[in-house]
Amino acid sequence: MAKELPKSLDQVETKTVECDLLIVGGGNAGCFAAYEAKQVNPDLNVVIMEKANIKRSGACAAGMDALNTYIPTWDGKTPEDLVRWSREQVGGGPIREDLALSNAQELNQCVEELEEWGLPIIYDEDEEHPHYRGSWDISIHGEQLKPIMAEKAMDSAEVYNRIVATALIMDGERCAGAMGFGVRDGKFYVFKAKATIVSTGGACGIYKSYTSDGTASHHQTWMCPFNVGTGYAMGLRKGAEFTSMEQRWVAARTKDYCGPVDTVSVGYKAKMMNAKGEYFLNERYAHLGGDKAPRYIRANAPMEEWREGRGPTYVDSTHLDEEQCKNMLTDYLNERPSFVLYLAANGIDPTEQPVEVYGSDPYIVGGHTGSGYWVDMERMTTVPGLFAAGETAGGNPNKFVGGCAAEGKLATRGAIKFIEANGDVNIDESQVEAEKARVFKPLFRGKDFDGLTPEEIKERLQRLMDEYAGGTSQFYRCNEEQLDYALKHIKLLQEQSGEYITASDLHELMHAHEVFDRIDVAEIVCHHLKGRKETRWSGWQTRSDYPERDDENFNCFVETRKNPETGEIEVFTRPYERIVD
């Protein structure tokens, strides 16, 4: 933390960094983007702008117990098979099959590189092939997954840790880098770049967690809690096009802890069960695949049991013997060690007592669902010079670790082609001064200013989205009138946060900008939910006033684009092109 806070804008030092390629966000995709840049062109000047510390940042910060996509080619499986599976997971589409296929063709190499770098992958007893716990996911000892990735990134790029990104820099219509501030040193940073990749991760904390009333954190997420949608927000303010933001990620989680359920349900064949002892997926969703139904079905089904009066709901782990239970807890130690402590603290023996599950609050994560920037095959957004990878690139769900890594590489190759074709950038310094003033404004309002804290604004946003835009308390349902109410009050929050939000130190200033970003992302999520007047992915996207699926009008992508001058948001559609039979 800075030893002494600046008293005025004149005391804030501006530091300018010039580079060829800027990567905003040093998570999974960002690390592979940097690594690929050095493989393609070792002379390239690459910089990573990271809000946390790259050694433990992003969605993989705490580790993983599996890699969810690795194609068993020795078993005759192909990249096209993975695309078909991904399409089934979203009910038959729409998905960007062109993007999904290019990712699938790349991801095995990324997983194999992780193993070469030191990631322990668990093999079957014959030690010939990795151990699969489902159709596509392999087991790993992944507690060190992120440090392993980060080491390669640090060898490939200059990393600026603890820098909060706040805005893109523009050279006319072209992206020319990004700006932000140091949460530890209080400096204003200007990263001038010939091409920029946004790989910041998704957005958590937009919706209220059902546990918020019992904690002061206002969050309960298994995703990285400092992923707040900044990558989306910076682009939408510059008029970038977004796709499928209504396809929110909701997952069945262990209740009151938000731990992963697939570890026990997929890895150890534990079936979901309601309070009546019914295995409801097999009984009521057999026509959709039962226990192997698409993820959005498995996420929403427990909540439907609660809504129909058959809760609580569980994963029935009582079939596990002592050795299997020990192995399951070991898996949790690789990804969620505190869950093992949670079970112990609450006296829960999974061999005797089923593990209770409940639905999570909705997240916007393009590595899991299709939400994010609309990109071309080079992963360039509709803003020239701005590329997206991982959670921020949309239309291509079920990427997970391997797919996000592949997309980081693909975005880098596209960015290098762009640099070679377009050369240097020139920036108008007035935009730098304007952004610097905007960034530090909450810090200089004065101690007597009667304003609002970031926490107060965030709490209002989370309740608004929960109650009017399909949160957990509404069993993920919303209608036209609720969304209109949400949008009206989001406008008020945008006005009030700009005028009244205050920050007492640099850490709170970071929270202020996280709230600004969350509000802007929430706005386009509501427009997307309004735009899709059907119910296509129950739970992820449920319209109570349009409860049926409407293939005639909505087997397509819902898109938005914000006019940077007027603030108006245009909603339109793009056709779904099926290229894999």
Side-chain angles (χ1 to χ4, degrees), residues 24 44 53 72 77 167 198 204 233 264 296 312 330 333 351 445 471-472 490 531 542 549 551 556:
V24 185
L44 212 62
N53 186 305
K77 296 287 182 63
V198 176
C204 299
V264 58
Y296 70 93
T330 301
L333 287 173
T351 65
R445 295 194 193 278
T472 313
I490 283 172
T542 303
R549 177 166 160 157
D551 278 338
C556 59

Side-chain angles (χ1 to χ4, degrees), residues 219-463:
H219 298 278
Q220 190 180 51
T221 175
W222 89 105
M223 291 292 288
C224 182
F226 32 82
N227 284 357
V228 300
T230 298
Y232 303 134
M234 291 195 303
L236 72 89
R237 291 175 194 139
K238 299 301 181 185
E241 179 182 333
F242 283 82
T243 186
S244 308
M245 298 294 278
E246 76 279 13
Q247 197 183 78
R248 309 165 305 164
W249 175 256
V250 169
R253 298 283 110 180
T254 49
K255 192 170 186 296
D256 297 329
Y257 175 78
C258 204
V261 167
D262 278 359
T263 299
V264 58
S265 65
V266 177
Y268 292 88
K269 316 297 183 192
K271 296 178 179 178
M272 286 192 183
M273 181 178 73
N274 65 20
K276 311 297 182 186
E278 299 169 323
Y279 295 118
F280 52 87
L281 279 172
N282 283 339
E283 292 196 15
R284 274 180 275 285
Y285 299 88
H287 62 295
L288 298 172
D291 282 318
K292 294 184 178 180
R295 288 174 187 269
Y296 70 93
I297 299 288
R298 285 185 279 142
N300 192 51
M303 300 301 280
E304 285 297 302
E305 294 300 302
W306 272 86
R307 200 170 70 90
E308 296 290 336
R310 296 186 290 270
T313 50
Y314 307 91
V315 282
D316 186 5
S317 54
T318 57
H319 67 291
L320 298 177
D321 60 29
E322 190 174 334
E323 183 65 22
Q324 289 171 322
C325 185
K326 179 183 176 183
N327 290 339
M328 180 189 77
L329 296 178
T330 301
D331 287 345
Y332 274 118
L333 287 173
N334 282 311
E335 179 171 350
R336 208 74 55 186
S338 55
F339 182 63
V340 180
L341 297 177
Y342 170 83
L343 293 175
N346 289 276
I348 299 173
D349 180 351
T351 65
E352 297 182 357
Q353 179 179 341
V355 178
E356 189 174 358
V357 298
Y358 201 72
S360 72
D361 45 302
Y363 311 113
I364 312 301
V365 281
H368 293 62
T369 62
S371 51
Y373 285 89
W374 182 268
V375 296
D376 64 17
M377 288 300 290
E378 306 288 352
R379 271 52 175 184
M380 188 164 78
T381 72
T382 55
V383 175
L386 179 65
F387 295 76
E391 306 274 25
T392 56
N396 179 12
N398 303 304
K399 284 179 273 192
F400 307 120
V401 173
C404 288
E407 196 152 58
K409 286 185 167 189
L410 293 167
T412 289
R413 294 173 202 163
I416 290 174
K417 288 181 187 174
F418 182 87
I419 291 169
E420 292 170 350
N422 293 276
D424 286 334
V425 293
N426 294 297
I427 62 172
D428 178 357
E429 292 295 332
S430 64
Q431 66 181 306
V432 173
E433 294 307 313
E435 177 61 9
K436 184 177 177 180
R438 186 189 77 90
V439 164
F440 286 93
K441 187 175 181 180
L443 196 61
F444 298 137
R445 295 194 193 278
K447 64 179 181 180
D448 296 327
F449 183 76
D450 186 16
L452 297 163
T453 66
E455 203 71 9
E456 288 168 332
I457 295 282
K458 181 173 68 178
E459 185 176 277
R460 173 59 183 142
L461 173 69
Q462 290 179 338
R463 278 197 58 203

Side-chain angles (χ1 to χ4, degrees), residues 9-10 98 108 151 159 275 287 336 568 574 576:
L9 201 59
D10 294 339
D98 52 352
N108 268 23
E151 185 176 333
V159 180
H287 62 295
R336 208 74 55 186
E568 294 296 317
R574 282 185 183 261
Y576 166 36

Side-chain angles (χ1 to χ4, degrees), residues 136-162:
W136 303 99
D137 42 345
I138 59 175
S139 299
I140 61 172
H141 291 303
E143 194 278 331
Q144 288 289 307
L145 175 61
K146 186 63 210 302
I148 288 170
M149 293 178 182
E151 185 176 333
K152 288 294 176 183
M154 290 187 290
D155 288 343
S156 307
E158 187 175 5
V159 180
Y160 287 80
N161 287 313
R162 309 291 181 187

